[in-house]
Amino acid sequence: IHSDLDQSVREEVMNRFKARKTRILVATDVVSRGIDVEDIDMVINFDVPHDAEDYVHRIGRTARAGAHGKACTLVVPAEMGDFAAIEKLLGSTVEKVSLPESMGKTPDYQVKRAGNQHSRKRSFRKKRNRKPYSGKKKPRDRKS
């Protein structure tokens, strides 16, 4: 399911999934919030959401009304900072499991602190919090 599908097609797919006619659902974040499906056994995240709260909504599909399930998130080095933000929101560390050795060398889980790939996001946040433009131009210094 993805946002480019017509709403009627998305509803049809979701109805098949709820009725257990479709056992595996591959979806974008279009289904991370506001869906009502019970007894989801596992959620696999192909990528780490940029917003920690989106992660909570994604994996929350496995824990409705006291039910239990598993969540697995594939994390590449560029996403480790985002995953650290998720752990901070959760207030706990999420278990890290390495891939089997037969799959080859995998990166160690390390969160880079300063100057990492997330500096662009921080600068965006700073810009967003600036005072709104008043519409008045600053007087220019003129040199004679």
Side-chain angles (χ1 to χ4, degrees), residues 50-116:
H50 296 291
D51 184 344
E53 289 184 16
D54 287 344
Y55 174 84
V56 172
H57 285 281
R58 281 185 190 180
I59 66 165
R61 304 287 149 222
T62 64
R64 294 281 183 237
H68 296 280
K70 295 185 183 241
C72 175
T73 303
L74 305 176
V75 182
V76 297
E79 298 172 320
M80 290 178 186
D82 287 333
F83 202 77
I86 289 167
E87 291 179 316
K88 184 176 179 181
L89 175 70
L90 295 174
S92 64
T93 302
V94 175
E95 178 186 6
K96 313 312 184 279
V97 180
S98 297
L99 295 173
E101 287 183 23
S102 62
M103 296 189 77
K105 185 169 174 13
T106 58
D108 292 329
Y109 185 83
Q110 294 179 325
V111 179
K112 296 177 185 174
R113 294 293 172 209
N116 68 4

Side-chain angles (χ1 to χ4, degrees), residues 4-83:
D4 288 340
L5 293 176
D6 288 336
Q7 182 63 30
S8 61
V9 175
R10 286 188 287 199
E11 288 174 10
E12 180 183 332
V13 171
M14 286 306 300
N15 287 335
R16 286 197 317 258
F17 186 65
K18 287 179 185 181
R20 304 274 191 232
K21 293 178 183 173
T22 298
R23 295 184 56 213
I24 298 173
L25 180 67
V26 178
T28 63
D29 278 341
V30 74
V31 293
S32 66
R33 296 177 183 244
I35 64 166
D36 183 28
V37 179
E38 295 181 17
D39 299 325
I40 293 179
D41 299 322
M42 177 178 258
V43 171
I44 300 174
N45 292 298
F46 180 75
D47 59 357
V48 176
H50 296 291
D51 184 344
E53 289 184 16
D54 287 344
Y55 174 84
V56 172
H57 285 281
R58 281 185 190 180
I59 66 165
R61 304 287 149 222
T62 64
R64 294 281 183 237
H68 296 280
K70 295 185 183 241
C72 175
T73 303
L74 305 176
V75 182
V76 297
E79 298 172 320
M80 290 178 186
D82 287 333
F83 202 77

Side-chain angles (χ1 to χ4, degrees), residues 109-126:
Y109 185 83
Q110 294 179 325
V111 179
K112 296 177 185 174
R113 294 293 172 209
N116 68 4
Q117 69 280 0
H118 300 290
S119 60
R120 182 179 59 83
K121 271 198 238 177
R122 283 193 291 276
S123 65
F124 172 76
R125 288 188 182 124
K126 287 178 186 174

